[in-house]
Amino acid sequence: MDEAPIIVEPLADLTNYRQAKSHAGVLQAYTRRPVEDPKHVTAEEADRAEARAIQLANFVPFEGIPRSDAATLAQILQRLEQMETNINHRFNHIEEKIDNLEKKINNVEVIALKALNGTRGDGTWIEYELIPFTDGKLPSHQTYQVDTQPPYVYLRRATDIAKLQSAQLTQYLSSYGVAAAAMPTTVKAKRKELYRIIGVSADLLSAYDALSP
């Protein structure tokens, strides 16, 4: 045997929109019971519950919600839900644009840093700038200095790259987005690719290419 609905009083105790909407729906169902039925709920009581749901969804004073028939209130709630959906869609679109903008900014930053490194010879007099990895983090980030063991070596000079072993070169190139299928197979080829990624000048790259074993 079904029980009479619990009418929340005061309605201010309903602080969650979905909870208030569900409560209003239950009361609305009980308005269709005969008046003499002990479980009957008045339309006024159901409307007040609907108004509380609207108030929570629209952030307007509870007393400012116009009392109307249930059908009108249902239409208002439907419109509010559509507004919520549209707002969420717009926020998602904005977030997507922000992500794309951040990627473009990171790409420009990498290009600028590589160009700067190309003017610094072998990095002996003026050290190279660190180039961000594909995740946007620098080799100096905690991810690569604390969470990764052994930590990544800072590539401040051309000789820093020349000292890297094959496994270290592979580790660096992978972090710079070189896929396993495209990974150079020899140490010399790996070093050359890393020189290029760091931004070592073409002249210096040719010189190292000629001297490297």
Side-chain angles (χ1 to χ4, degrees):
M1 184 176 181
D2 59 337
E3 299 179 353
I6 298 174
I7 298 177
V8 177
E9 190 64 41
L11 284 171
D13 288 346
L14 292 171
T15 58
N16 178 278
Y17 164 68
R18 295 190 182 280
Q19 179 189 26
K21 182 181 177 183
S22 175
H23 177 64
V26 171
L27 296 190
Q28 187 62 43
Y30 278 87
T31 61
R32 293 190 286 272
R33 288 180 175 266
V35 177
E36 61 274 10
D37 190 326
K39 303 180 184 66
H40 172 76
V41 173
T42 65
E44 181 182 0
E45 196 68 52
D47 283 355
R48 290 182 68 250
E50 288 277 5
R52 176 57 176 168
I54 294 173
Q55 186 261 332
L56 288 171
N58 207 33
F59 302 105
V60 298
F62 179 67
E63 295 75 14
I65 300 293
R67 302 302 188 266
S68 182
D69 60 276
T72 301
L73 289 172
Q75 290 177 3
I76 294 174
L77 284 174
Q78 186 176 8
R79 290 178 62 185
L80 287 172
E81 288 178 346
Q82 185 60 49
M83 288 172 59
E84 181 182 7
T85 300
N86 292 340
I87 290 172
N88 288 336
H89 177 73
R90 289 183 181 181
F91 270 121
N92 291 337
H93 187 59
I94 291 172
E95 288 178 352
E96 183 180 345
K97 283 191 172 183
I98 291 174
D99 288 341
N100 290 335
L101 183 59
E102 287 179 346
K103 289 178 182 178
K104 288 181 179 179
I105 292 173
N106 289 338
N107 289 338
V108 171
E109 180 187 11
V110 168
I111 292 171
L113 291 174
K114 289 174 68 173
L116 195 59
N117 287 344
T119 67
R120 294 183 175 179
D122 62 2
T124 299
W125 296 104
I126 303 178
E127 293 183 335
Y128 293 150
E129 299 294 330
L130 297 179
I131 304 298
F133 292 131
T134 52
D135 61 3
K137 298 174 183 175
L138 291 169
S140 57
H141 191 274
Q142 175 179 326
T143 302
Y144 302 104
Q145 292 300 313
V146 178
D147 300 340
T148 303
Q149 294 298 325
Y152 279 56
V153 177
Y154 289 1
L155 305 182
R156 292 295 194 181
R157 302 176 181 83
T159 52
D160 293 333
I161 298 176
K163 294 176 183 177
L164 295 178
Q165 301 301 311
S166 180
Q168 292 173 298
L169 290 165
T170 299
Q171 184 184 47
Y172 249 106
L173 292 174
S174 296
S175 298
Y176 279 122
V178 178
M183 186 67 65
T185 55
T186 66
V187 171
K188 181 176 181 178
K190 289 179 182 178
R191 285 195 183 123
K192 183 176 181 179
E193 179 63 14
L194 190 52
Y195 282 137
R196 185 191 65 78
I197 291 174
I198 295 302
V200 174
S201 67
D203 292 341
L204 195 61
L205 185 58
S206 298
Y208 271 98
D209 193 31
L211 294 174
S212 299

